[in-house]
Amino acid sequence: MKTPGSGTSLTGVWTGRYAYPRALAPVPFLATLIEFGGNFTGSIHEPDDTGTGAVAYASIEGLRQGNEVTFTKVY
């Protein structure tokens, strides 16, 4: 889910869930992205995996080409 923003730009606040390829529970996340001409940067907030209720923060940067998005996420 994305809010706000318009068209095909990735700029905005995104929420979702991702799943590992193993038998682990899906993890919710919140991503804030800013796109400039197909390139984007931003941050991601998600529960850490220690079970303490803490939040893990990561930076993200990537490239959007049409419907394809590739990125690198660094904690």
Side-chain angles (χ1 to χ4, degrees), residues 4 9 11 22 26 28 33 49-50 62-63 65-66 68:
S9 174
T11 297
R22 303 178 304 266
L33 305 177
D49 59 3
T50 62
L63 176 66
Q65 294 178 305
E68 184 176 326

Side-chain angles (χ1 to χ4, degrees), residues 1-2 10-11 13-14 16 19 21-22 25-27 31 35 37 39 42 44 48 59-61 65-66 75:
M1 179 175 172
K2 177 188 167 193
L10 294 176
T11 297
V13 176
W14 295 77
R22 303 178 304 266
V27 178
E35 181 180 358
N39 295 299
I44 294 179
D48 74 2
S59 61
I60 185 172
E61 66 178 53
Q65 294 178 305
Y75 288 94

Side-chain angles (χ1 to χ4, degrees), residues 36-61:
F36 296 99
N39 295 299
F40 64 90
T41 61
S43 62
I44 294 179
H45 304 83
E46 62 194 51
D48 74 2
D49 59 3
T50 62
T52 62
V55 176
Y57 300 94
S59 61
I60 185 172
E61 66 178 53

